[in-house]
Amino acid sequence: AQSVTQLDSHVSVSEGTPVLLRCNYSSSYSPSLFWYVQHPNKGLQLLLKYTSAATLVKGINGFEAEFKKSETSFHLTKPSAHMSDAAEYFCVVLSKTSYDKVIFGPGTSLSVIP
Amino acid sequence: DAGVIQSPRHEVTEMGQEVTLRCKPISGHNSLFWYRQTMMRGLELLIYFNNNVPIDDSGMPEDRFSAKMPNASFSTLKIQPSEPRDSAVYFCASSFPGQGVYEQYFGPGTRLTVT
């Protein structure tokens, strides 16, 4: 069975400091992994995706994530937080079975302190 | 591309009334997903269509909920009768797994309030 765990329900950082949002997954198959961001009262926007190419994936707005199979992790990072990064972040796993099915993590709320 | 279009953006209705939410996926996408988001339960997948056929409706909460996709460019999610606990934001998303493009593109959502 597939599952996604986001270890922190809430993360708070100061503007200009690094961001680390943690994600671990469980999958019986070689997964595709995604990070989505949701700003308040908005829909979800794709930040980046891993689909078995390079293990270090760069996304929009300076975010990147590294796929580590040995740790079953796909943590999201950014070197320097900006106020506009305050949002909800979802880690997502897609494991191919008979049909594509997407599993969303519970989300991590990121606050950025001026 | 206009992206995924949902209507209405906001809906306020009284308990017992029928509610219909609408979604137009991105042209060319052949998979469509309906989600519900609440503070208590987070983001829940309700139903998933592929090539207009419902593939997985295990997330549909009960018989009051139904979804249709009569053609590749339109889907509806209907609640009849509605109840206050149905209040949530409902998202529609589409994707095109046929060419390995698995990421889903989300619409802006419909905020439903049932009083």
Side-chain angles (χ1 to χ4, degrees), chain B residues 4 7 11 13 15 20 26 33 38-39 43 45 47 60 63-64 69 79-80 83 85-86 95 110-111 114:
Chain B
V4 176
S7 64
E11 177 79 37
T13 190
M15 181 175 65
T20 299
I26 292 173
F33 305 77
T38 61
M39 289 292 292
L43 198 64
L45 176 65
I47 187 169
M60 295 287 264
D63 293 344
R64 296 185 298 106
M69 192 163 185
I79 308 172
Q80 167 63 17
E83 296 182 4
R85 60 193 169 119
D86 301 331
S95 70
T110 295
R111 182 173 297 276
V114 183

Side-chain angles (χ1 to χ4, degrees), chain B residues 23 25 30-34 47-50 69 75 92-95:
Chain B
C23 175
N30 64 346
S31 290
L32 184 140
F33 305 77
W34 281 102
I47 187 169
Y48 154 49
F49 291 88
N50 183 257
M69 192 163 185
S75 176
C92 176
S94 69
S95 70

